[in-house]
Structure formats: structure tokens, C-alpha cells
Amino acid sequence: MKNIPKITNRKLLVFNPKILKKDFPIFSRKINGKTLVYLDNASTSQKPKSVIDALTNYYKTFNANTHRGIHTMSEEATLAYEKTREHVAKFINAPLSKEIIFTRNTTEAINLVAYSWGETNIHKDDEIIISAIEHHSNLVPWQELCRRKKAKLKIIPIKNDLTLNMEAYEKMLSRETKLVSITGMSNVLGFMPDLQKIIKLAHKNKALVLVDAAQSAAHIKTDVKKLDCDFLAFSSHKLLGPTGVGALYGKFQLLSNMPPFMFGGDMVKAVQQDKAFWNDLPWKFEAGTPNIADVIAFNAALTYLEKVGLKNIQKHDEKLLKYAVKKFSKYEKDGVRLILPTYKSMDFSRSSDSKSHSFTRNSSSPTFDPSATSSILSFSIKGIHPHDVAQIFNDEGVAIRSGYHCSQPLIEYLNLSATARMSFYFYNTKEDIDRAEKALQKTLKLFK
Amino acid sequence: MDLYSEIILDYFKNPVNKGEIDKPTGTASEYNPLCGDKIRVDILLDKKGKVVEAKFSGEGCAISQAATSMLTEKLIGKTPAQIKKISNEEIYKMLNIPISPGRVKCALLGLVTAKKAAISANTKTKTPDTKKSLKNPTCHFLQIKKSRQRGTTR
Ligand SMILES: Cc1ncc(COP(=O)(O)O)c(C=O)c1O
């Protein structure tokens, strides 16, 4: 069937971000007369031509509903849709493709667990553990579930070096702990918690673990078998794929025992006037016509990503972050504060004293642990609001994010009103960071 | 046209009327959760019910800080009712910079706060004035105010 993208696992001969960048049509665009430097990848990634083509190809050549018809196009669409599921399973090393449920995004995947699993398994005085570095989407659903069930939400604090306090986590675990829901990579700090350890400890206490892989899936190899996590959620749009597609992985036994989250067409096997029989996994959780086009194009994204190789991405991430830290730390004397876990010249606490902006340099060059943090550099500038920073960067054609990054409690914990954030991906280059540095210089000149 | 015009930057770096009024007639605080901007506006009314002093405090981006600072100057001599009638367009005109949709909230945060402060001043001044307002029926009182305002804005 020619319409279905072939899954090829051919690796690149050489990894060259400048060549890869050419696969992304968006980079021919100019912003304020300057070539676009896109450093907002933690919000969403750009899309290669192959993904855009897969999307239009579906609409142009085999647009039909899935699982419903026996005509050729419906069969083709169904097959292509299910091929993506198989690919997702392979991508995260899930034992079975029926353990993959398509949602709209990470947020919906987490809500699915909170409603379906949470409603039946969380009771009064049970405890759910999350961390202080979670995105709102891995915080609010649990706040709400705990409110509904009169359960307790416990939050793993962060230490002064902006890493998670694992000792506190160990102490938090108890017989009451029913679930630990934790990010694979913070979208503000780039910090990657020790998932393996967190999951082992949780399982010892008979608690389940959900991993929010929205950020991490795009940067490091996800292996649910090795992690032994119970649930894992991520979004297509952060890893080259279209918006409107998320994936939830859940262990087969767990998903089988969970009630549907939404009701209607497709999720039923047989319907009588007064009752219905649920469909098998994974369709039990996919009510209504799914996002066929975007799911199909997501397959092309995974293919592209595998061609680039997560190992290459990881190496490149590290190189770029080191380079960015070297460049931006030069401006600490001008009030620039790098918000980076394990960063050496950083020392600030929750208090609002003047110390929070003073720097005591221990070594001559800035250091941080690249195994703990990846691809994200948040910063603030004393006396300059992040919105103004982002605006000047935009004038220079450099797209960065400013604000709370959907992590308001964390930003407030850091004693900031907001931050500016650069987030990198494999198509970014050192030249991109040089352009960001130029924008930083302009910002400092303008406002100081 | 540049967003960070010299005037905007000047108001941001050397804000006029930054601070708080000891015993303000009206005060209000606003918070923009999207940006983390916090702004407080205090106004002091004279016996005639006109603003004699206006101050602002809090933190925010250059646009919201400059806009609020400029606005406090504009408030002088106005009655709370007149403050409530200041339009968004007036603020854009005062700023004289291109405000993109993303910065609308920044530009208007000061105005929203000032209007709230005006409302709080109104309720404050009305309560001790109950005897007076009995003598002047409300509709009459409002009419006078309206005509007076028309005179001043023109
Ligand atoms: C760590 C993390 N979790 C969850 C999400 C939510 O993803 P989505 O908006 O695709 O549901 C994001 C995206 O910003 C994220 O960075």
C-alpha cells in the first residue's frame, strides 16, 4: 500500500544540524527581516517536510473514517492509523501496541488516568505524590482528583541546586501512597529526575508511577520496559509531529481493568438500548472519530526522529547547552541569572534578600552536570521583565518564551515573577545561540 | 515604529509618580497572572472630588510600568467618574507605540487598576456624604458631573 509511510530505521551518516534544518520549511521564513532563530522548542517543535507531506497526502489521497468501512480508503486509513500505534509502541519500547492510546495531547492523557484510574482507585486519605517542578498539566488534574476524593497531594520539594530532593521523596512514600506522577524532564529547568530510582522506590511501596514524558520523549530514549513505569504520556507536537495528538502508554493489565473515560461511538463492541459493551483495548479509550490525519502524520515524525537518532540529539543538546551557558554566564555581572540545575555559580534560596542576585563564583568557568539537565536554559535579568526580554529577542528574529511556562508554583518558588526561557532542539546551531547573545546584549543596552 | 520608544524607556527607567500615598482616598491592586505583573494605584481626592495626587507601585514589564506612570499624570484633576470613562484608545494614543495583541494586557493593566481605585474612592466618599446626597437627588448629582466632565475632556 503506497500511501502508508514506510518505517525505515536508516540512520544518518553524519549528524549535521545545518543540513537537517533544510528539511524544515519554516526556517526559510524571516521574522522582522531576520532569519528565524527558533528557541522555543519546549513549547512545540517545528515540523519537517515529510510530516507536512504525510498530512496533506492523507487528505489528498485516502481521506476516510477509520474502523468503520470496508471500502478501500477506509481500510487504508485504518491501517495507517494503526501503523502509527505500532510505531509509537516501538518508539517507547512498549511490549504491546494495544497499550498505546491516542489522546489529544499529554494533558488529556494524564486526565484520562486521573479520571479513569483515579476515580476507581483513589479513596479518602490516599496519597498522590508529584514534584515541585511539574507542568500545570501534571499538577491540576491531581489537585482536582484529591479534592474530589479527599485524598492528599504531596509534593517533592527541590533543593537549592534546583534538583529534586530525593531524601524527602523517600520519606514521603508510605502505604497510603497510591500514585507517583513525575516529569521526565522539567519544561522550565530542563532537569531530568532519576526516574529509575523514583519508580523502584514507588513500586516497593506498591504505588503506581505515571511519567510525564512531554519534554523528555523528544530528547532522550524512552524505554517503558526498562523504566517499568505504569503509565507514560507524551505529545506528538513536541517531537516533530502535528498538534492534536498525544499518546498514553499503560500496562496492559492496568488499562484492561480501567473503565472508559469517554463514551460514544468506536469505544463499544455492542450496544443495546439500555446498555453497551466496551470495546477491546485500545479502542475502549478512543471514543468518536479520532484525529486520523494527525495520527498518521505522527508516524512520519517518529520515522524522521529515528533517522536523526536520539543519541545524536542528546549529544547535540549537551553541546548547545554548554555553549549557551558559557555565552550567557558572561553577563552575570549585568544582572543575568541562569536558572539551571546543578549550576555552580548559583546560590539562591526562597528568601527575598539581596543575596538572590549575588554570585559567588567557585571556579573560573561555569559548570553544571549535563547528565542532570538538558536542552533548556531559563534566565532572568535583574530589573528587566521577561516579556521585554522576549520582545527584544523577537525584534532580532529570535523566538524565546517568557512568563510562567505553565509552572506558576515553581516560578514563584524560585522567587521570580516570571522567567525567559531558551529551549533547543537538534536543528539549532551555535550560530543560533550567538544570535541570542546579540539579542541579550541589545536588551541590556536598551534597558540599563 | 519602535515599541520601546525613547519616551517609554524614559518612563520605565525614571518613573513619574512611583510610590504609595499614605492615606489614599482610593486604592486598588491588579494582578496579571499571565505575566506575573502586579500593580497598585493610589489616588488622593481634594474636597471637590478631584484627583490631586496619583501614585503607582508594583512590578511589571516596561510597557505596563511606563503606561501606568503616564496614566497617573493624566489622572490629576479628574473625578473618579471621569477616570472610569477613560477609554482603551486613549491609552494607546498616549503610549503612541504599536501594541500587539500579546501586549494589550500590559498596556491596559494600569488603566484597569486606576478604574478600580476610582470605584473604591467613590464608595469611600459617598458613605460619609449621605446627608449631602439626600439634599441633592442622585440623578441631579450625576447630571452635574456628566456635564462637567464633558467640559473638561474637550
Ligand atoms: C513537562 C510537560 N508536561 C506536560 C505538558 C503538556 O503538554 P500538552 O500541552 O501537549 O498537553 C508540557 C507542555 O508544555 C510539558 O512541557
Side-chain angles (χ1 to χ4, degrees), chain A residues 30-45:
Chain A
K30 295 228 170 357
I31 302 285
N32 296 318
K34 294 167 180 123
T35 40
L36 164 67
V37 171
Y38 187 73
L39 299 179
D40 193 18
N41 293 285
S43 288
T44 196
S45 69

Side-chain angles (χ1 to χ4, degrees), chain A residues 18 63 73-74 100 116 150 178 195 238 264 288 300 314 317-319 327 345 354 369 380 420:
Chain A
K18 277 178 201 152
N63 173 47
M73 292 197 304
S74 178
I100 306 298
S116 171
K150 297 195 166 57
K178 291 291 162 349
L195 290 180
K238 302 221 197 237
Q314 221 177 322
D317 281 343
E318 188 177 327
K319 212 158 71 182
K327 288 276 167 180
S345 74
S354 58
D369 176 6
S380 67

Side-chain angles (χ1 to χ4, degrees), chain A residues 29-36 390-399 435 442, chain B residues 1:
Chain A
R29 140 152 227 196
K30 295 228 170 357
I31 302 285
N32 296 318
K34 294 167 180 123
T35 40
L36 164 67
Q391 190 91 51
I392 301 299
F393 274 56
N394 187 60
D395 287 349
E396 295 299 301
V398 183
R435 289 266 307 275
K442 193 182 160 195
Chain B
M1 212 174 13

Side-chain angles (χ1 to χ4, degrees), chain A residues 130-412:
Chain A
I130 61 165
S131 85
I133 59 171
E134 299 309 319
H135 188 276
H136 290 167
S137 69
N138 193 28
L139 162 63
V140 185
W142 307 121
Q143 283 175 345
E144 287 305 305
L145 177 65
C146 287
R147 205 190 319 281
R148 290 197 298 271
K149 297 288 175 178
K150 297 195 166 57
K152 277 200 200 97
L153 187 64
K154 295 204 154 178
I155 297 174
I156 311 168
I158 50 173
K159 301 196 287 195
N160 280 346
D161 68 351
L162 303 184
T163 64
L164 279 190
N165 188 336
M166 291 294 280
E167 296 77 37
Y169 168 61
E170 279 191 53
K171 280 193 201 128
M172 244 174 229
L173 285 161
S174 73
R175 279 173 49 199
E176 271 65 58
T177 314
K178 291 291 162 349
L179 178 77
V180 178
S181 195
I182 185 92
T183 186
M185 183 188 288
S186 156
N187 62 308
V188 176
L189 304 171
F191 179 67
M192 296 176 286
D194 185 349
L195 290 180
Q196 207 94 51
K197 190 170 171 192
I198 288 170
I199 294 165
K200 263 209 188 103
L201 287 167
H203 284 172
K204 248 197 214 159
N205 283 273
K206 299 201 164 51
L208 300 186
V209 180
L210 183 152
V211 175
D212 168 6
Q215 290 297 333
S216 61
H219 294 274
I220 52 172
K221 172 73 189 159
T222 307
D223 187 334
V224 293
K225 224 194 260 172
K226 194 165 150 221
L227 281 175
D228 196 29
C229 56
D230 302 282
F231 300 106
L232 183 133
F234 66 106
S235 298
S236 142
H237 71 90
K238 302 221 197 237
L239 34 117
L240 312 178
T243 53
V245 180
L248 172 71
Y249 157 81
K251 283 181 180 164
F252 180 75
Q253 212 50 48
L254 279 167
L255 292 176
S256 302
N257 292 330
M258 279 157 56
F261 165 46
M262 278 195 241
F263 303 88
D266 282 348
M267 53 76 63
V268 283
K269 224 178 217 168
V271 182
Q272 297 166 355
Q273 281 209 325
D274 57 349
K275 110 187 219 208
F277 301 89
W278 310 146
N279 205 336
D280 296 328
L281 276 179
W283 307 293
K284 177 172 88 176
F285 291 108
E286 294 178 7
T289 299
N291 189 348
I292 305 165
D294 293 313
V295 165
I296 288 170
F298 184 27
N299 197 353
L302 292 174
T303 303
Y304 188 95
L305 199 62
E306 280 162 348
K307 193 181 81 181
V308 176
L310 282 159
K311 279 221 175 79
N312 286 328
I313 293 175
Q314 221 177 322
K315 257 192 265 169
H316 186 66
D317 281 343
E318 188 177 327
K319 212 158 71 182
L320 280 187
L321 186 57
K322 274 186 179 156
Y323 188 72
V325 167
K326 195 175 108 195
K327 288 276 167 180
F328 273 58
S329 61
K330 285 193 297 190
Y331 303 91
E332 286 178 337
K333 59 181 184 331
D334 303 304
V336 173
R337 169 172 152 195
L338 304 188
I339 300 154
L340 181 70
T342 72
Y343 182 58
K344 267 294 153 35
S345 74
M346 272 201 9
D347 175 36
F348 60 89
S349 55
R350 296 187 67 172
S351 65
S352 58
D353 59 26
S354 58
K355 260 191 217 143
S356 48
H357 278 292
S358 70
F359 294 92
T360 39
R361 192 34 88 61
N362 304 336
S363 54
S364 53
S365 65
T367 56
F368 65 95
D369 176 6
S371 71
T373 186
S374 162
S375 69
I376 288 171
L377 184 58
S378 285
F379 64 98
S380 67
I381 310 174
K382 198 174 182 212
I384 310 179
H385 195 280
H387 274 15
D388 294 323
V389 179
Q391 190 91 51
I392 301 299
F393 274 56
N394 187 60
D395 287 349
E396 295 299 301
V398 183
I400 62 166
R401 175 91 187 259
S402 62
Y404 281 133
H405 321 290
C406 298
S407 302
Q408 193 174 347
L410 172 62
I411 303 293
E412 283 169 356

